[in-house]
């Protein structure tokens, strides 16, 4: 690519768009007759959440949480903390946690268990991206946009040091940018 910060575009805008529409259709079918509560995991899932929620042809509730995981810039330590909780209780609700990417699996395993203890009617995880080769805990998202290789990705909400979230596509960050250590 011209811009040497990136190795390549992994998922272009059209590819993302088509898959988000499919996921929206799938959720519309799976939650027919219900009013699911979509919970956006800030900040990474914001772009995906905004696009996905508008492809669901059902009444929905929207809520937002933020988590932090301690670790260096390209991998997490496994220690997860809820830094912003939902505004409304989830007891008895059909919850869909919307996340940007499942990597080690630590964040979503922790959050799903934490929220399951609040007695929702159901709880599922919809992840834009899944990097199964990096898993260190037993966790599988219920809905996955794309399964991706073990590369450090940015764009469409995903960041490197808070940068690149506003790219419309998903790109592989050049190893020179992050020092080659994932
Ligand atoms: P996990 O707890 O290891 O599954 O980490 C998930 C979190 O790590 C995601 O929500 C992202 O914030 C971050 N993450 C993992 N892989 C990437 C990547 O390739 N690019 C940007 N962020 C990533
Ligand atoms: Mg995240």
């Amino acid at each position: 690519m011209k811009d040497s910060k990136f190795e390549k575009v992994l998922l272009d805008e059209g590819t993302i768009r088509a898959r988000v529409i499919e996921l929206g259709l799938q959720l519309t079918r799976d939650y027919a007759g219900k009013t699911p509560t979509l919970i956006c995991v800030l900040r990474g899932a914001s772009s995906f959440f905004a696009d996905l929620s508008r492809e669901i042809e059902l009444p929905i509730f929207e809520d937002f949480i933020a988590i932090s995981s301690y670790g260096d810039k390209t991998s997490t330590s496994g220690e997860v903390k809820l830094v912003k909780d939902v505004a409304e209780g989830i007891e008895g609700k059909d919850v869909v946690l919307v996340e940007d990417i499942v990597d080690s699996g630590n964040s979503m395993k922790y959050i799903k268990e934490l929220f399951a203890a609040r007695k929702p009617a159901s709880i599922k995880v919809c992840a834009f991206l899944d990097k199964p080769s990096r898993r260190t805990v037993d966790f599988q998202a219920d809905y996955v946009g794309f399964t991706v290789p073990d590369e450090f990705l940015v764009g469409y909400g995903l960041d490197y040091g808070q940068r690149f979230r506003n790219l419309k596509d998903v790109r592989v960050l050049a190893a020179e940018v992050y020092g080659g250590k994932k």
Side-chain angles (χ1 to χ4, degrees):
M1 289 188 76
K2 255 199 234 142
D3 192 336
S4 61
K5 288 199 283 295
F6 311 108
E7 254 162 47
K8 62 172 179 186
V9 171
L10 185 71
L11 304 167
D12 64 30
E13 260 189 275
T15 305
I16 294 171
R17 177 95 200 105
R19 184 68 185 125
V20 170
I21 289 171
E22 275 178 12
L23 284 172
L25 269 172
Q26 201 179 340
L27 287 163
T28 302
R29 269 191 239 113
D30 293 358
Y31 287 87
K34 297 178 177 167
T35 302
T37 298
L38 261 71
I39 300 179
C40 176
V41 184
L42 295 170
R43 286 172 261 182
S46 60
S47 299
F48 179 48
F49 184 85
D51 289 344
L52 178 68
S53 62
R54 287 176 293 175
E55 297 303 332
I56 300 175
E57 293 184 26
L58 294 172
I60 64 167
F61 295 118
E62 297 188 358
D63 215 327
F64 300 83
I65 62 171
I67 59 177
S68 70
S69 44
Y70 301 100
D72 60 32
K73 278 186 176 168
T74 56
S75 65
T76 60
S77 64
E79 218 183 301
V80 183
K81 198 177 153 200
L82 187 68
V83 295
K84 184 215 171 300
D85 206 342
V86 280
E88 314 271 340
I90 59 162
E91 192 176 335
K93 292 188 174 164
D94 291 297
V95 170
V96 183
L97 290 163
V98 180
E99 170 65 315
D100 55 356
I101 183 166
V102 179
D103 189 49
S104 71
N106 276 302
S107 311
M108 274 304 101
K109 186 173 162 51
Y110 174 82
I111 295 298
K112 194 178 181 185
E113 285 171 5
L114 186 78
F115 279 50
R118 297 179 183 180
K119 304 195 169 53
S122 65
I123 183 160
K124 304 265 185 195
V125 171
C126 178
F128 173 53
L129 305 178
D130 185 16
K131 251 190 222 175
S133 59
R134 296 260 303 171
R135 208 71 96 248
T136 59
V137 293
D138 185 22
F139 179 81
Q140 183 52 53
D142 304 280
Y143 300 90
V144 170
F146 300 92
T147 299
V148 292
D150 183 10
E151 309 256 33
F152 197 80
L153 306 173
V154 294
Y156 200 65
L158 291 119
D159 74 304
Y160 173 68
Q162 301 308 329
R163 291 158 66 207
F164 312 122
R165 290 195 197 275
N166 61 330
L167 294 174
K168 293 182 181 178
D169 45 24
V170 171
R171 302 180 189 184
V172 176
L173 192 66
E176 302 87 83
V177 179
Y178 63 85
K181 183 188 159 289
K182 276 194 273 278

